[in-house]
Amino acid sequence: MQSLMDIGSRDIFDTEHDAFRETARKFFQKEVAPKMADWEKTGYSDRDTWLAAGEYGILGVATPAEVGGIGGSYLHAAICMEEQSYVNSSGPAFSLHSDIVLPYIYKYGSKEQIERLIPDLVSGKKISAIAMTEPEAGSDLQGIKTFAKKDGSDYILNGSKVYITNGWNADLVIVVAVTNREAKSPAHGISLFLVEEGMPGFKKGWLMKKMGLHCSDTAGLFFEDIRLPASALLGEENKGFYYLMNELPQERLNIGVHALAHCEWAFEETRNFVTQRKAFGKTIAQLQTVQHGLAELKTEIAVGRAFIDQCISLHAKNQLDSGMASMSKYWPTDLENRVAYKCVQMHGGAGYLWDTPIAKMYVDARVQPIYGGSNEIMKELIARQIVGGGKKK
């Protein structure tokens, strides 16, 4: 294997997957990479790129064909995530749209919702987001305050959300809201709603300026007395927390897939740099300390790759449990930050310049242990399976 990003080098993929990877790689190299500098300045991607993603079959690739999707598997979805990381692209947030939002709609949506929304989401005509986090509720979803009050057959939605990926561009947002304040526990009183651009009372507050992920739009959203018809309820009333718990393991694996692929990209970027950069009359790749550093990086990344590929395979067969999904998020994202630190160090002063790709990777990696449930929460979830939550028996 000449490169950690070589096509055809992994046993979990067959020749059909490799052919699809060729298509995905072409898309990201042709349609995404050349635009990244512009997106970094604006803070969001252009809609033409979303439409191009639809034309290439990149969006909704794991959404079943019978509901209007491409009809692939999670293996195809993982390929798309990896190829985006292989061009060091922090946006657009295609995987959130395709592999987080779309599953909620085709699994829990009504026939009308599926038929009306999925074709436009798969084609890229509409961009989606999911709004969970609030100013005082992050990893603890049971602490949300956004409230949908029943009014006849309608709901009146009030509240706000922060740090919403795709929020600025979104045409459709799945909003997590409380519907029963008197429920026996907060988890039993949460529902999901479909809020669409143009609805009276739906406001996009501001485009957030972040440390990294400059190509991916992140926004604050406000809901002021939005009247939602019963048809805007996604799934059953008060079942929202149950749906979230079902889907969060895939979200966490998605983050791990991106993180491990980003490690592979960073390694290859750094290997190329050190074999060209000269110091003391030779390339720095000839220095033992650099060689040992590269050996350590490659070993850790190879270990991570074996684990993530196992998780991808298990999830494709619906066998990935919550504990292992938490491991697949926590360990690769911590690794991603270690790799980023070491690769910047090997770049020397050049690694500190914004125009050097490894510098962008360094700041983009920092959020990975935070969102999708902080890594501290991931450790809690893993520990519960080990010691049963510490309950006495």
Side-chain angles (χ1 to χ4, degrees), residues 27 30-32 35 46-59 94 122-125:
F27 167 76
K30 179 181 177 182
E31 303 289 345
V32 172
K35 299 178 180 179
D46 63 88
R47 288 183 172 268
D48 286 346
T49 304
W50 284 85
L51 292 170
E55 291 173 2
Y56 271 81
I58 298 298
L59 302 178
F94 292 133
V122 172
S123 69
K125 291 179 181 177

Side-chain angles (χ1 to χ4, degrees), residues 19-38:
F20 177 73
R21 188 182 290 274
E22 293 277 7
T23 299
R25 184 162 295 187
K26 179 181 177 182
F27 167 76
F28 283 106
Q29 290 178 348
K30 179 181 177 182
E31 303 289 345
V32 172
K35 299 178 180 179
M36 286 159 48
D38 290 337

Side-chain angles (χ1 to χ4, degrees), residues 344-364:
V344 167
Q345 189 72 16
M346 289 188 197
H347 275 72
Y352 198 68
L353 299 179
W354 184 247
D355 288 338
T356 304
I358 201 68
K360 296 179 174 63
M361 186 267 187
Y362 183 85
V363 294
D364 289 346

Side-chain angles (χ1 to χ4, degrees), residues 77-118:
I79 287 169
C80 293
M81 297 176 216
E82 291 171 355
E83 290 303 318
Q84 184 158 10
S85 291
Y86 288 166
V87 296
N88 195 32
S89 171
S90 64
F94 292 133
S95 62
L96 181 139
H97 173 91
S98 294
D99 307 304
I100 297 177
V101 174
L102 268 164
Y104 281 100
I105 296 173
Y106 70 72
K107 289 182 181 180
Y108 311 117
S110 66
K111 186 173 184 291
E112 183 275 333
Q113 290 167 341
I114 289 170
E115 292 178 348
R116 181 171 64 86
L117 297 172
I118 286 184

